Amino acid sequence: MKAAGGSRTAVLVCQGRAVADGRIAPGRFTDPVAVSLLRADERRTVEQVRAGTPPSGWLERVDYESVRACAEIVVPRTIAIDDAVRERTSPQVVLLGAGLDDRAWRMPELADRVVFEVDHPDSARDKRQRLAGLPAPTRPGEPGERVRFVSVDLTRDRLEGALAAAGHRADTPTTWIWEGVVPYLTRPEAARTVAAVATLSAPGSRLIVNYQAPQAAIAIGQLIARSMDVLARRRGIWANEPWRSRWTASAMRDLLGRNGFTVRSDDDLLTIATRLTTPTPRRASLRSGRVAVADRPA
């Protein structure tokens, strides 16, 4: 992120989950917590999308369509990751680039686990401010208790030392969730993060990676979005948080394999969405997004 404050991408994803709650994949997806993490203006767009009432202004309409599209993309991604967490939930869980993730509050499977939320210092600060609005029964304990906030800039900071200082144990299996972060790192930064994760992963650990595969249509769409932001004289998501790397499935498998992880599955979001019978109008975006599940042999 180039600007101070929380990640706008994290807000968009949270808005997408709030829109999808009870609407997309009922019985498989629910997130009643997401809306509580949003500020009033951010909730307004969610309410418009849920009501199906697009705003009249073109800038507001762009935001409306972005949130609506995100809801359709984030559901298969979230379900795939949640299923992988439930299948193997270790004593400690680490979210790399936690953003406005709310798994520690909405997933009962994590109720008795230690959850480390790793994020850029600005995003971590923004997250904690937003958490103050949650009802008391679902608020986390202070750092050092069940939910622990760890400020790390993955582009420059050492993950190992920060997690150790927060109480993470490298001799205990860990479930790692790396969602919506890899595209914003360069290839060397992503490879360095995987290497750090490997050193902190005891046998039996699981790494769940969401990443983006190359898709020409996505690159064109981002260029158009940047152009619209320029016309509107505003700095959009793609200006402050550009994508810096894309990975083919084979390249990701090689990276994980070199670091001692065996890939158990690696599906694109279109395949997952089709299996779940969730909406698939944005097929290029769904084809680009992937979720890989890799294990450290016990």
Side-chain angles (χ1 to χ4, degrees):
M1 297 180 300
K2 295 181 180 179
S7 164
R8 290 183 60 189
T9 302
V11 172
L12 176 61
V13 171
C14 189
Q15 288 175 305
R17 297 199 313 268
V19 165
D21 179 41
R23 297 291 187 88
I24 301 178
R28 293 289 283 118
F29 175 87
T30 181
D31 191 342
V33 179
V35 70
S36 300
L37 295 174
L38 298 172
R39 299 193 169 101
D41 59 325
E42 298 159 354
R43 288 196 299 270
R44 190 176 307 116
T45 306
V46 169
E47 292 163 358
Q48 291 171 337
V49 176
R50 286 179 66 90
T53 55
S56 56
W58 76 273
L59 271 179
E60 292 79 9
R61 182 61 182 266
V62 169
D63 292 338
Y64 173 97
E65 294 297 340
S66 296
V67 172
R68 185 170 71 165
C70 184
E72 296 172 355
I73 294 168
V74 78
V75 167
R77 184 175 98 179
T78 302
I79 291 174
I81 294 172
D82 287 358
D83 285 350
V85 171
R86 292 187 183 101
E87 185 180 64
R88 181 181 290 188
T89 306
S90 305
Q92 49 192 6
V93 178
V94 178
L95 287 85
L96 293 171
L100 297 182
D101 190 291
D102 57 16
R103 287 184 173 89
W105 292 268
R106 68 172 175 80
M107 290 186 69
E109 294 86 356
L110 302 185
D112 60 347
R113 312 298 193 203
V114 178
V115 179
F116 299 87
E117 295 216 351
V118 177
D119 212 341
H120 186 282
D122 291 336
S123 288
R125 189 179 307 112
D126 179 62
K127 172 78 168 283
R128 300 198 69 172
Q129 291 171 353
R130 292 168 182 269
L131 286 171
L134 286 180
T138 57
R139 289 183 63 183
E142 290 302 310
E145 297 185 1
R146 190 178 67 84
V147 179
R148 308 181 188 184
F149 298 90
V150 185
S151 293
V152 173
D153 183 343
L154 291 176
T155 68
R156 65 184 185 190
D157 298 335
R158 288 187 61 83
L159 181 64
E160 299 94 324
L163 273 173
H168 178 268
R169 297 190 52 164
D171 60 352
T172 300
T174 301
T175 297
W176 302 86
I177 303 172
W178 201 11
E179 179 182 11
V181 179
V182 175
Y184 302 98
L185 301 175
T186 64
R187 279 180 168 254
E189 289 165 352
R192 189 165 60 246
T193 301
V194 172
V197 167
T199 66
L200 297 172
S201 294
S205 294
R206 166 163 288 189
L207 172 58
I208 307 162
V209 186
N210 162 233
Y211 65 99
Q212 299 296 135
Q215 281 282 336
I218 302 301
I220 294 171
Q222 291 178 354
L223 180 60
I224 293 172
R226 287 194 190 99
S227 300
M228 294 181 71
D229 285 327
V230 170
L231 290 174
R233 297 182 179 179
R234 70 174 185 177
R235 288 188 66 82
I237 289 176
W238 303 117
N240 286 332
E241 302 171 47
W243 283 2
R244 292 184 168 90
S245 69
R246 297 170 178 82
W247 299 75
T248 63
S250 60
M252 181 57 67
R253 184 180 300 107
D254 289 345
L255 173 63
L256 299 178
R258 289 197 304 271
N259 286 277
F261 287 96
T262 300
V263 175
R264 301 301 183 192
S265 64
D266 187 345
D267 296 316
D268 63 60
L269 299 185
L270 180 59
T271 298
I272 298 168
T274 301
R275 190 162 60 232
L276 295 168
T277 66
T278 59
T280 58
R282 294 165 178 82
R283 299 177 74 84
S285 294
L286 290 167
R287 283 196 190 96
S288 176
R290 302 188 68 89
V291 174
V293 179
D295 293 334
R296 197 74 181 267

